[in-house]
């Protein structure tokens, strides 16, 4: 029985650790994420959005949608970080214990991102809608009470499959983000430690920063399209502004050019990079604690 428990823990450990680290990071980053979404919805600069939120809604508005954010991490990050570590461990075994080339790490990141996004898409939809709700006219607001209420209402009003509305761009965005985040982190750890001789703390901080930058740079265009798809409302005739992610991308490109996809990039980078860094830092601390107590 004990051996079964140990085996089960060994399998589930990377998934549990990944989810826990992502949830802890989200608690810290949630206010920046709120500002990022509203910038993408065209409400002004970061300073303008923050000022308006405080004046009109109070400080609690920065944590609106936190339940959905935590649920998203509990599904999405649990799946992606756990899957990535399982895939890389298997690949290293197949490579006779040698470090993986960056291409293989990138492929593992792409795969992990896709799997994680499939699990996390419903919570991601709830999060986007809860964050965008206050920007809508009173008559159009959905007034979700929390993440589970949002999921219940979406299923009731729009059907089960609507939970995966915008899942296409969500998966693509997750693949891009995780390719940049996961592959660059492992590669940076190896480079900083083996080539530059950095210590544990310096390696962790440096690799986390590199990981955050590449995650941001690779994913923002896809994040922009995903946000537009998930928050769109039908007009009076019931027609949506976009027929899909490709249509959204083409219309955005035509209307605003390539740089339109990088709307809110400074705030997005400030939000994504610290979240990535904190996820790795929390994960490192969780692993240290587990080692200390013999888990």
């Amino acid at each position: 029985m004990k051996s079964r428990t140990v085996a089960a823990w060994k399998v589930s450990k990377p998934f549990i650790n990944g989810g826990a680290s992502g949830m802890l990071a989200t608690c810290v980053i949630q206010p920046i994420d709120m500002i990022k979404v509203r910038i993408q919805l065209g409400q002004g600069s970061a300073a303008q959005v923050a000022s308006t939120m405080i004046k009109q809604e109070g400080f609690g508005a920065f944590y609106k949608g936190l339940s959905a954010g935590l649920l998203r991490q509990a599904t999405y990050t649990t799946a992606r970080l756990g899957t990535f570590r399982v895939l890389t461990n298997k690949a290293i075994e197949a490579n006779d214990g040698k470090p993986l080339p960056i291409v293989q790490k990138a492929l593992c990141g792409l795969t992990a991102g896709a799997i994680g996004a499939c699990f996390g898409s419903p919570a991601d939809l709830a999060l986007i809608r809860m964050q965008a709700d206050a920007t809508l006219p009173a008559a159009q607001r959905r007034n979700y009470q929390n993440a589970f209420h949002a999921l219940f209402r979406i299923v009731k009003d729009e059907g089960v499959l609507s939970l995966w509305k915008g899942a296409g761009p969500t998966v693509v965005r997750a693949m891009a983000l995780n390719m940049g985040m996961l592959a660059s982190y492992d590669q940076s750890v190896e480079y900083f430690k083996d080539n530059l001789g950095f210590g544990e703390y310096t390696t962790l901080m440096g690799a986390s920063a590199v990981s955050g930058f590449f995650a941001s740079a690779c994913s923002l265009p896809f994040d922009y399209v995903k946000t537009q798809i998930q928050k769109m409302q039908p007009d009076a005739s019931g027609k949506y502004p976009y027929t899909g992610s490709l249509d959204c991308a083409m219309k955005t490109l035509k209307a605003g050019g390539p740089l339109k996809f990088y709307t809110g990039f400074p705030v997005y980078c400030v939000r994504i990079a610290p979240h990535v860094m904190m996820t790795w830092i929390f994960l490192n601390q969780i692993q240290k604690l587990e080692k200390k107590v013999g888990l």
Side-chain angles (χ1 to χ4, degrees):
M1 185 67 179
K2 186 177 180 181
S3 61
R4 288 184 180 180
T5 303
V6 172
W9 169 244
K10 186 176 180 181
V11 171
S12 61
K13 184 177 178 179
F15 294 91
I16 293 172
N17 290 353
S21 61
M23 292 173 76
L24 289 169
T26 291
C27 290
V28 179
I29 297 300
Q30 178 71 10
I32 300 176
D33 194 36
M34 276 295 300
I35 294 173
K36 182 267 296 183
V37 169
R38 296 201 179 189
I39 288 175
Q40 289 184 330
L41 296 178
Q43 292 198 337
S45 66
Q48 291 171 332
V49 168
S51 177
T52 300
M53 288 175 66
I54 293 171
K55 289 178 181 178
Q56 296 183 0
E57 304 170 59
F59 285 98
F62 289 104
Y63 279 92
K64 192 168 187 178
L66 178 61
S67 60
L70 293 176
L71 179 61
R72 179 176 181 270
Q73 294 300 319
T75 51
Y76 168 59
T77 299
T78 296
R80 65 176 175 137
L81 291 189
T83 300
F84 179 74
R85 194 49 61 203
V86 169
L87 290 175
T88 52
N89 286 343
K90 291 292 185 182
I92 289 172
E93 287 180 15
N95 202 32
D96 297 325
K98 299 176 183 177
L100 300 178
I102 187 66
V103 174
Q104 288 188 24
K105 291 172 185 170
L107 289 174
C108 290
L110 283 169
T111 304
I115 293 172
C118 290
F119 280 97
S121 189
D124 192 54
L125 175 62
L127 174 62
I128 291 293
R129 288 193 176 184
M130 290 176 72
Q131 289 178 330
D133 207 40
T135 69
L136 300 173
Q140 296 181 21
R141 292 178 186 173
R142 299 179 174 95
N143 297 314
Y144 298 140
Q145 297 172 11
N146 53 54
F148 295 103
H149 180 240
L151 296 176
F152 173 78
R153 281 275 307 280
I154 291 170
V155 172
K156 181 181 177 182
D157 299 342
E158 305 170 46
V160 175
L161 293 181
S162 292
L163 290 173
W164 281 271
K165 181 180 288 184
T170 297
V171 170
V172 173
R173 181 252 189 191
M175 292 172 69
L177 186 149
N178 285 283
M179 178 186 69
M181 170 186 171
L182 302 177
S184 66
Y185 179 78
D186 275 15
Q187 191 73 17
S188 297
V189 167
E190 292 173 10
Y191 181 76
F192 290 148
K193 187 182 294 184
D194 299 337
N195 293 66
L196 301 182
F198 285 1
E200 180 185 356
Y201 178 76
T202 309
T203 296
L204 174 62
M205 296 304 294
S208 298
V210 171
S211 177
F213 172 79
F214 278 103
S216 303
C218 291
S219 64
L220 180 55
F222 303 101
D223 183 81
Y224 182 87
V225 171
K226 175 183 71 71
T227 300
Q228 298 303 311
I229 292 292
Q230 289 183 327
K231 65 94 177 178
M232 65 180 178
Q233 292 268 8
D235 58 20
S237 63
K239 184 179 180 181
Y240 284 95
Y242 309 114
T243 58
S245 56
L246 181 59
D247 181 53
C248 177
M250 295 305 295
K251 287 181 178 177
T252 300
L253 183 64
K254 185 177 180 180
L259 292 181
K260 183 66 175 177
F261 293 105
Y262 282 89
T263 299
F265 178 73
V267 174
Y268 182 79
C269 193
V270 167
R271 182 257 166 185
I272 289 293
H275 190 282
V276 169
M277 291 180 69
M278 288 180 188
T279 298
W280 290 124
I281 291 169
F282 279 126
L283 180 59
N284 178 266
Q285 293 303 308
I286 290 170
Q287 290 171 335
K288 276 187 174 182
L289 179 62
E290 288 172 344
K291 187 178 291 186
K292 188 175 182 180
V293 299
L295 290 176

